[in-house]
Amino acid sequence: GPKVLQIPSHQIIDMGQMVTLNCDPVSNHLYFYWYKQILGQQMEFLVNFYNGKVMEKSKLFKDQFSVERPDGSYFTLKIQPTALEDSAVYFCASSFDSQNTLYFGAGTRLSVL
Amino acid sequence: GEQVEQLPSILRVQEGSSASINCSYEDSASNYFPWYKQEPGENPKLIIDIRSNMERKQIQELIVLLDKKAKRFSLHITDTQPGDSAMYFCAASGGSNAKLTFGKGTKLSVKS
């Protein structure tokens, strides 16, 4: 089936540093998402992105977070500066349109020390 | 925003029996209800979904039911196998931006 690729699979970073999580969505998909999952809990919506803009973001999407997809390259989530509570698995997802199935990547496990 | 409740949080069944997971939602505008299976360390994978124009859908041993009036939907796995052991998440979305709201998950263990 369609695959969403996430790079890296695991990132360890010191608190206060910047981190960028990369996502290569399904090639013809137009809607992109980031979800955050703390161990053993459900995935929680962070943000969705369409046509170069953030459509909606949750209260988990702090001011330190930003997303972009310059010129059809990776869809990225940047956290600057990182905090201890940012430690989680971050899942990228994409869909063809707003009424369609979301396909999730394998996640990036972020550990903030 | 939408809230999705999912029960039970833990479900243990014997191989060959049925397993049922129940979810409820709050937003009557929600019109799409997918179910995801997640194995440890892996991404959530869509296993079955239902839209609000249907009440029942079956794919092999998976059955989903939707009661729009009661704002409830459920997943039933018939003839469970050890390979069905995983976390299962229900979700709901509606409107124009396909934002999925997930339930807290059900850890299913199938014992042989």
PDB file of all heavy atoms in Angstrom, chain B residues 13-30:
ATOM      1  N   VAL B  13      -8.884 -12.334  25.227  1.00  0.00           N
ATOM      2  CA  VAL B  13      -9.825 -13.338  24.722  1.00  0.00           C
ATOM      3  C   VAL B  13      -9.074 -14.611  24.361  1.00  0.00           C
ATOM      4  O   VAL B  13      -7.860 -14.593  24.165  1.00  0.00           O
ATOM      5  CB  VAL B  13     -10.599 -12.816  23.494  1.00  0.00           C
ATOM      6  CG1 VAL B  13     -11.410 -11.570  23.845  1.00  0.00           C
ATOM      7  CG2 VAL B  13      -9.673 -12.550  22.320  1.00  0.00           C
ATOM      8  N   GLN B  14      -9.829 -15.692  24.282  1.00  0.00           N
ATOM      9  CA  GLN B  14      -9.258 -16.966  23.845  1.00  0.00           C
ATOM     10  C   GLN B  14      -9.282 -17.039  22.323  1.00  0.00           C
ATOM     11  O   GLN B  14     -10.229 -16.547  21.684  1.00  0.00           O
ATOM     12  CB  GLN B  14     -10.097 -18.135  24.395  1.00  0.00           C
ATOM     13  CG  GLN B  14      -9.825 -18.497  25.845  1.00  0.00           C
ATOM     14  CD  GLN B  14      -8.405 -18.978  26.086  1.00  0.00           C
ATOM     15  OE1 GLN B  14      -7.710 -18.428  26.930  1.00  0.00           O
ATOM     16  NE2 GLN B  14      -7.977 -19.998  25.359  1.00  0.00           N
ATOM     17  N   GLU B  15      -8.270 -17.657  21.790  1.00  0.00           N
ATOM     18  CA  GLU B  15      -8.216 -17.864  20.343  1.00  0.00           C
ATOM     19  C   GLU B  15      -9.505 -18.518  19.856  1.00  0.00           C
ATOM     20  O   GLU B  15     -10.019 -19.457  20.477  1.00  0.00           O
ATOM     21  CB  GLU B  15      -7.016 -18.765  20.012  1.00  0.00           C
ATOM     22  CG  GLU B  15      -6.823 -19.031  18.535  1.00  0.00           C
ATOM     23  CD  GLU B  15      -5.606 -19.895  18.257  1.00  0.00           C
ATOM     24  OE1 GLU B  15      -4.867 -20.224  19.211  1.00  0.00           O
ATOM     25  OE2 GLU B  15      -5.389 -20.240  17.084  1.00  0.00           O
ATOM     26  N   GLY B  16     -10.030 -17.965  18.762  1.00  0.00           N
ATOM     27  CA  GLY B  16     -11.244 -18.522  18.186  1.00  0.00           C
ATOM     28  C   GLY B  16     -12.512 -17.818  18.635  1.00  0.00           C
ATOM     29  O   GLY B  16     -13.556 -17.962  17.998  1.00  0.00           O
ATOM     30  N   SER B  17     -12.420 -17.062  19.739  1.00  0.00           N
ATOM     31  CA  SER B  17     -13.613 -16.347  20.203  1.00  0.00           C
ATOM     32  C   SER B  17     -13.673 -14.967  19.534  1.00  0.00           C
ATOM     33  O   SER B  17     -12.800 -14.602  18.750  1.00  0.00           O
ATOM     34  CB  SER B  17     -13.586 -16.207  21.721  1.00  0.00           C
ATOM     35  OG  SER B  17     -12.505 -15.394  22.109  1.00  0.00           O
ATOM     36  N   SER B  18     -14.729 -14.210  19.844  1.00  0.00           N
ATOM     37  CA  SER B  18     -14.898 -12.871  19.274  1.00  0.00           C
ATOM     38  C   SER B  18     -14.380 -11.813  20.233  1.00  0.00           C
ATOM     39  O   SER B  18     -14.356 -12.026  21.456  1.00  0.00           O
ATOM     40  CB  SER B  18     -16.378 -12.604  19.010  1.00  0.00           C
ATOM     41  OG  SER B  18     -16.862 -13.478  18.046  1.00  0.00           O
ATOM     42  N   ALA B  19     -13.981 -10.700  19.663  1.00  0.00           N
ATOM     43  CA  ALA B  19     -13.559  -9.544  20.468  1.00  0.00           C
ATOM     44  C   ALA B  19     -14.322  -8.324  19.984  1.00  0.00           C
ATOM     45  O   ALA B  19     -14.469  -8.133  18.768  1.00  0.00           O
ATOM     46  CB  ALA B  19     -12.059  -9.323  20.327  1.00  0.00           C
ATOM     47  N   SER B  20     -14.803  -7.525  20.933  1.00  0.00           N
ATOM     48  CA  SER B  20     -15.570  -6.331  20.581  1.00  0.00           C
ATOM     49  C   SER B  20     -14.996  -5.115  21.273  1.00  0.00           C
ATOM     50  O   SER B  20     -14.692  -5.158  22.473  1.00  0.00           O
ATOM     51  CB  SER B  20     -17.038  -6.490  20.988  1.00  0.00           C
ATOM     52  OG  SER B  20     -17.639  -7.525  20.239  1.00  0.00           O
ATOM     53  N   ILE B  21     -14.863  -4.050  20.511  1.00  0.00           N
ATOM     54  CA  ILE B  21     -14.359  -2.770  21.035  1.00  0.00           C
ATOM     55  C   ILE B  21     -15.384  -1.703  20.681  1.00  0.00           C
ATOM     56  O   ILE B  21     -15.878  -1.664  19.545  1.00  0.00           O
ATOM     57  CB  ILE B  21     -12.992  -2.413  20.418  1.00  0.00           C
ATOM     58  CG1 ILE B  21     -11.990  -3.543  20.659  1.00  0.00           C
ATOM     59  CG2 ILE B  21     -12.473  -1.100  21.008  1.00  0.00           C
ATOM     60  CD1 ILE B  21     -10.678  -3.367  19.901  1.00  0.00           C
ATOM     61  N   ASN B  22     -15.686  -0.882  21.678  1.00  0.00           N
ATOM     62  CA  ASN B  22     -16.738   0.106  21.499  1.00  0.00           C
ATOM     63  C   ASN B  22     -16.209   1.524  21.611  1.00  0.00           C
ATOM     64  O   ASN B  22     -15.379   1.807  22.477  1.00  0.00           O
ATOM     65  CB  ASN B  22     -17.821  -0.100  22.559  1.00  0.00           C
ATOM     66  CG  ASN B  22     -18.454  -1.468  22.432  1.00  0.00           C
ATOM     67  OD1 ASN B  22     -19.118  -1.776  21.451  1.00  0.00           O
ATOM     68  ND2 ASN B  22     -18.216  -2.323  23.420  1.00  0.00           N
ATOM     69  N   CYS B  23     -16.711   2.389  20.748  1.00  0.00           N
ATOM     70  CA  CYS B  23     -16.325   3.793  20.777  1.00  0.00           C
ATOM     71  C   CYS B  23     -17.563   4.669  20.682  1.00  0.00           C
ATOM     72  O   CYS B  23     -18.573   4.269  20.092  1.00  0.00           O
ATOM     73  CB  CYS B  23     -15.382   4.117  19.626  1.00  0.00           C
ATOM     74  SG  CYS B  23     -13.761   3.354  19.833  1.00  0.00           S
ATOM     75  N   SER B  24     -17.449   5.842  21.293  1.00  0.00           N
ATOM     76  CA  SER B  24     -18.508   6.837  21.163  1.00  0.00           C
ATOM     77  C   SER B  24     -17.876   8.173  20.834  1.00  0.00           C
ATOM     78  O   SER B  24     -16.706   8.415  21.152  1.00  0.00           O
ATOM     79  CB  SER B  24     -19.331   6.922  22.450  1.00  0.00           C
ATOM     80  OG  SER B  24     -18.518   7.329  23.526  1.00  0.00           O
ATOM     81  N   TYR B  25     -18.652   9.016  20.186  1.00  0.00           N
ATOM     82  CA  TYR B  25     -18.149  10.326  19.807  1.00  0.00           C
ATOM     83  C   TYR B  25     -19.171  11.394  20.152  1.00  0.00           C
ATOM     84  O   TYR B  25     -20.324  11.082  20.469  1.00  0.00           O
ATOM     85  CB  TYR B  25     -17.793  10.354  18.312  1.00  0.00           C
ATOM     86  CG  TYR B  25     -18.949  10.073  17.366  1.00  0.00           C
ATOM     87  CD1 TYR B  25     -19.616  11.117  16.719  1.00  0.00           C
ATOM     88  CD2 TYR B  25     -19.344   8.767  17.097  1.00  0.00           C
ATOM     89  CE1 TYR B  25     -20.658  10.867  15.846  1.00  0.00           C
ATOM     90  CE2 TYR B  25     -20.391   8.502  16.229  1.00  0.00           C
ATOM     91  CZ  TYR B  25     -21.037   9.547  15.590  1.00  0.00           C
ATOM     92  OH  TYR B  25     -22.085   9.294  14.728  1.00  0.00           O
ATOM     93  N   GLU B  26     -18.752  12.641  20.090  1.00  0.00           N
ATOM     94  CA  GLU B  26     -19.621  13.732  20.529  1.00  0.00           C
ATOM     95  C   GLU B  26     -20.137  14.606  19.384  1.00  0.00           C
ATOM     96  O   GLU B  26     -21.265  15.107  19.456  1.00  0.00           O
ATOM     97  CB  GLU B  26     -18.871  14.620  21.531  1.00  0.00           C
ATOM     98  CG  GLU B  26     -18.599  13.930  22.859  1.00  0.00           C
ATOM     99  CD  GLU B  26     -17.999  14.862  23.894  1.00  0.00           C
ATOM    100  OE1 GLU B  26     -17.769  16.045  23.577  1.00  0.00           O
ATOM    101  OE2 GLU B  26     -17.766  14.398  25.022  1.00  0.00           O
ATOM    102  N   ASP B  27     -19.324  14.777  18.370  1.00  0.00           N
ATOM    103  CA  ASP B  27     -19.663  15.731  17.320  1.00  0.00           C
ATOM    104  C   ASP B  27     -20.551  15.073  16.254  1.00  0.00           C
ATOM    105  O   ASP B  27     -20.101  14.185  15.525  1.00  0.00           O
ATOM    106  CB  ASP B  27     -18.373  16.264  16.684  1.00  0.00           C
ATOM    107  CG  ASP B  27     -18.606  17.394  15.714  1.00  0.00           C
ATOM    108  OD1 ASP B  27     -19.796  17.681  15.398  1.00  0.00           O
ATOM    109  OD2 ASP B  27     -17.641  17.995  15.252  1.00  0.00           O
ATOM    110  N   SER B  28     -21.790  15.514  16.165  1.00  0.00           N
ATOM    111  CA  SER B  28     -22.704  14.907  15.203  1.00  0.00           C
ATOM    112  C   SER B  28     -22.284  15.165  13.759  1.00  0.00           C
ATOM    113  O   SER B  28     -22.791  14.539  12.830  1.00  0.00           O
ATOM    114  CB  SER B  28     -24.128  15.416  15.434  1.00  0.00           C
ATOM    115  OG  SER B  28     -24.152  16.817  15.437  1.00  0.00           O
ATOM    116  N   ALA B  29     -21.341  16.098  13.540  1.00  0.00           N
ATOM    117  CA  ALA B  29     -20.841  16.356  12.182  1.00  0.00           C
ATOM    118  C   ALA B  29     -19.808  15.324  11.747  1.00  0.00           C
ATOM    119  O   ALA B  29     -19.449  15.264  10.560  1.00  0.00           O
ATOM    120  CB  ALA B  29     -20.238  17.755  12.105  1.00  0.00           C
ATOM    121  N   SER B  30     -19.315  14.512  12.667  1.00  0.00           N
ATOM    122  CA  SER B  30     -18.331  13.485  12.294  1.00  0.00           C
ATOM    123  C   SER B  30     -18.968  12.499  11.329  1.00  0.00           C
ATOM    124  O   SER B  30     -20.110  12.063  11.525  1.00  0.00           O
ATOM    125  CB  SER B  30     -17.817  12.751  13.533  1.00  0.00           C
ATOM    126  OG  SER B  30     -16.965  13.590  14.274  1.00  0.00           O
TER     127      SER B  30
END
